[in-house]
Amino acid sequence: MDYEAKIVAECNAEFAQLQTYRALFAEQWDEVAQLADPPSRNTFYYGNYNFPGQKKSDRQVDASAMQALDRFASILDSLLTPRNMTWHMLGSESDYVMKNRDARLWFEAANRLVFKYRYAPIGNFSAQNQNIYKHLGAYGTGNMFVDQACNEAGVKVQGLRYKSLPLGEMFLRENHQNLINGFCRWYRMTASQAIDTFKEKAPAKMVEQAAKSAQMPFDFLHRVCPRNDHDPRRLDAKGKPYASYNICLTTNEFISEGGYNQFPLASSRYIQRPGEVYGFGALMGVLPSMKTLNAQKRDFLTQGHRAASPVYLVEDDGIMSWNFRPDAINSGGWKDGKPTVGILPTGEIQISKEMMAEEKAIIDGACLVDLFKILLSDPKVFSATQVVEMISQRGILIAPVVGRQQSEYLGPMVVRELALLEDMRLLPPMPGIIREARGSGQIMYTSPLARDMRAQEVAGFNRTLETALSVVNATQDPGALDTFDFDVIIPSVGQINGMPESWTASQEKIAAK
């Protein structure tokens, strides 16, 4: 067996195994999609085909779950990656490095570059990020592919590009530490698209087919995995720690081999259960409530229809023919001072509304909607201390649920972005003190969620300072304030609140003051 045939056989073997392990998940995902994400129906199995424009909402009677999913994605976006603020900073784990102002300024400059290229139009990060959060809420697993940007002609340019890979295309593998370290992705392209993408590497059978029908679809497989024959001294694909293979599944032919210096996929799970590779989504946990609400809505509509257009009861005389149009006159509708027609009772519609409200509350709770209703329900004007306390409480409630996204999703994505910017030589020259402290970098999150999680520290300082000030006012002795080291406290509070380093004064300016 030659080298290319061996690669094709290995890719097909792993792809078949990963399909088997994922089959039961696909069934559950399709059930969730029917009620909360209809466009994703029938997309979780290899070989599926959905005709463009196909209607998929025929099994959906109530849209509450779909609305809750959209709100869930917006909530995660506002908590973790709000576009109107810098939601993370770069730094070093070494206190010695962070005492150096040049090092702090370099981290700030590098951080600004990451945000500049991340939110550039060619990157399309915001739209793809929303898809990730919807996947997490509905199916429990989100996969963001990060790579160097390309222009319309497929030529690489300076910049980053982001692609939220549909879960139906992704088949994941883990290492011994339960970290995603590889995947097989099957995808479909027309013959003309494949020729534009692979150019001279396109299979001969595909080129022949393109001459007959350029829109003929073909199935492809992209496999990424750690390379067993990695040699860092080589300059070709084997010199990179992650292998990348592309094969055509339709013709069972080898297309190309490449590699990555860093794992290109930022994959995260919402909740991970023991022994499972894929996550467990927020809506997967309330699937019974979604089904119940869908059935209740059907009954509610039936009752409402009967109330608006009631079923009439008349005498069985075989003569009367009733006219129910407006302003119509029905002779014989009144006899002996009583109407000769009645209405069939339809039952109590109010109980249906109450039952539906209970199921909607369960779905909203799973999608974190109810936590934000608490902050909006009281119209009173809160003091600054009360606001900090409420934020702190919100952080305690939300952090265990969505804090995982910082370590599994955002962290690997930022590392990948920095590595790509460094490969493109877009980062500023690194100070020597940072180069000497290799491997000591860290990501400090400044998103609303991160601030909520650390707001308890600021709240504790505010409470203690208020107590100390009350003692000073009562005793007229300012000695109670000697306990506070404001030179340490103020910069720390500024860091927690996300204040840029360039806004602080240097040691020389402080000394001059």
Side-chain angles (χ1 to χ4, degrees):
M1 181 182 295
D2 62 12
Y3 181 70
E4 293 184 357
K6 181 181 178 182
I7 290 177
V8 172
E10 291 177 352
C11 291
N12 282 324
E14 182 175 43
F15 183 43
Q17 294 173 14
L18 295 180
Q19 285 186 68
T20 301
Y21 296 146
R22 211 201 68 170
L24 294 180
F25 278 100
E27 293 181 10
Q28 298 180 58
W29 296 336
D30 202 63
E31 282 191 87
V32 173
Q34 291 177 11
L35 302 179
D37 187 23
S40 296
R41 273 182 57 189
N42 191 35
T43 63
F44 301 107
Y45 297 95
Y46 165 59
N48 70 75
Y49 182 77
N50 296 274
F51 201 84
Q54 179 180 343
K55 181 181 178 181
K56 297 185 178 182
S57 58
D58 53 292
R59 300 185 185 180
Q60 185 186 40
V61 180
D62 185 86
S64 299
M66 187 166 62
Q67 290 182 341
L69 180 60
D70 290 336
R71 292 171 182 170
F72 175 85
S74 299
I75 289 170
L76 284 196
D77 193 19
S78 64
L79 286 176
L80 293 170
T81 54
R83 185 166 184 172
N84 62 343
M85 66 177 295
T86 302
W87 44 266
H88 71 73
M89 299 293 292
L90 302 177
S92 174
E93 296 176 353
S94 171
D95 295 335
Y96 173 73
V97 173
M98 293 306 293
K99 289 179 181 179
N100 186 286
R101 192 166 189 268
D102 289 338
R104 297 197 302 269
L105 289 174
W106 184 89
F107 282 123
E108 182 178 328
N111 198 65
R112 290 184 184 277
L113 276 175
V114 170
F115 273 85
K116 172 185 174 181
Y117 286 101
R118 177 186 294 148
Y119 287 101
I122 196 172
N124 196 25
F125 172 75
S126 296
Q128 302 302 312
N129 192 45
Q130 278 287 312
N131 290 338
I132 293 293
Y133 292 144
K134 291 188 70 172
H135 285 176
L136 287 172
Y139 316 114
T141 306
N143 301 289
M144 179 73 85
F145 188 84
V146 187
D147 204 1
Q148 185 176 348
C150 297
N151 58 20
E152 293 80 358
V155 179
K156 289 188 175 182
V157 296
Q158 288 189 340
L160 303 173
R161 70 179 180 94
Y162 302 82
K163 173 64 176 175
S164 170
L165 301 179
L167 189 55
E169 298 180 359
M170 297 298 295
F171 298 80
L172 306 175
R173 53 177 285 181
E174 281 185 333
N175 64 8
H176 65 287
Q177 295 180 326
N178 300 115
L179 298 176
I180 304 297
N181 72 336
F183 64 88
C184 287
R185 178 199 173 206
W186 85 273
Y187 57 100
R188 183 178 284 126
M189 290 193 298
T190 64
S192 61
Q193 290 172 336
I195 293 174
D196 291 341
T197 302
F198 300 118
K199 297 180 172 57
E200 70 278 358
K201 296 181 180 180
K205 295 180 182 178
M206 186 185 306
V207 176
E208 294 177 5
Q209 182 61 43
K212 302 176 183 177
S213 175
Q215 300 305 310
M216 176 72 178
F218 284 80
D219 291 334
F220 299 89
L221 182 70
H222 181 208
R223 180 190 177 209
V224 175
C225 60
R227 184 178 286 279
N228 296 326
D229 55 353
H230 173 226
D231 184 356
R233 297 170 297 180
R234 299 185 59 157
L235 299 179
D236 59 0
K238 293 186 178 180
K240 299 181 179 181
Y242 289 94
S244 172
Y245 306 110
N246 280 286
I247 67 172
C248 179
L249 293 172
T250 304
T251 62
N252 201 37
E253 291 181 81
F254 174 86
I255 296 179
S256 65
E257 177 183 10
Y260 299 99
N261 288 320
Q262 311 85 24
F263 190 53
L265 189 72
S267 183
S268 181
R269 283 71 64 94
Y270 186 67
I271 297 174
Q272 190 176 15
R273 299 186 295 189
E276 295 184 350
V277 175
Y278 299 91
F280 192 78
L283 290 180
M284 291 175 69
V286 293
L287 183 57
S289 291
M290 292 164 55
K291 292 181 177 180
T292 301
L293 181 59
N294 212 51
Q296 290 174 341
K297 185 64 172 286
R298 188 177 288 106
D299 294 338
F300 177 78
L301 292 174
T302 300
Q303 283 187 318
H305 190 194
R306 287 174 178 170
S309 297
V311 177
Y312 294 97
L313 304 176
V314 298
E315 292 184 352
D316 186 14
D317 56 7
I319 299 177
M320 290 293 299
S321 178
W322 297 94
N323 184 355
F324 297 109
R325 290 179 298 177
D327 299 326
I329 299 176
N330 288 280
S331 302
W334 193 266
K335 184 178 181 180
D336 299 332
K338 296 180 181 180
T340 58
V341 62
I343 297 177
L344 180 70
T346 61
E348 186 180 355
I349 196 172
Q350 187 63 31
I351 189 64
S352 296
K353 296 179 65 175
E354 295 174 0
M355 293 169 62
M356 291 170 59
E358 291 183 6
E359 303 301 332
K360 289 182 180 180
I362 295 174
I363 296 171
D364 285 346
C367 292
L368 309 180
V369 176
D370 58 342
L371 292 178
F372 285 79
K373 291 180 180 178
I374 297 174
L375 296 179
L376 300 176
S377 60
D378 197 337
K380 294 187 300 181
V381 178
F382 299 104
S383 66
T385 303
Q386 289 174 318
V387 171
V388 172
E389 292 287 351
M390 293 179 65
I391 292 175
S392 175
Q393 294 172 7
R394 187 179 68 173
I396 293 173
L397 293 172
I398 298 177
V401 181
V402 298
R404 180 187 184 119
Q405 308 315 315
Q406 292 180 343
S407 59
E408 270 205 348
Y409 171 42
L410 300 179
M413 184 181 72
V414 174
V415 172
R416 171 69 172 162
E417 291 167 332
L418 285 170
L420 288 172
L421 293 178
E422 184 177 12
D423 291 342
M424 291 181 280
R425 299 183 180 181
L426 295 175
L427 294 179
M430 185 181 294
I433 190 173
I434 300 178
R435 291 189 179 277
E436 294 173 2
R438 291 186 175 182
S440 63
Q442 68 173 347
I443 304 167
M444 296 169 290
Y445 296 99
T446 56
S447 63
L449 174 63
R451 293 181 187 178
D452 290 354
M453 294 167 64
R454 298 194 64 186
Q456 189 62 37
E457 301 175 30
V458 180
F461 165 69
N462 288 338
R463 289 193 299 266
T464 307
L465 182 61
E466 287 178 356
T467 303
L469 290 175
S470 63
V471 173
V472 171
N473 292 332
T475 63
Q476 298 300 308
D477 181 9
L481 298 177
D482 294 342
T483 306
F484 299 93
D485 189 348
F486 289 103
D487 291 339
V488 175
I489 293 173
I490 299 303
S492 299
V493 171
Q495 185 183 45
I496 293 174
N497 291 333
M499 186 178 72
E501 174 63 29
S502 56
W503 291 9
T504 63
S506 63
Q507 293 298 324
E508 291 78 11
K509 290 183 178 179
I510 294 175
K513 292 178 182 180

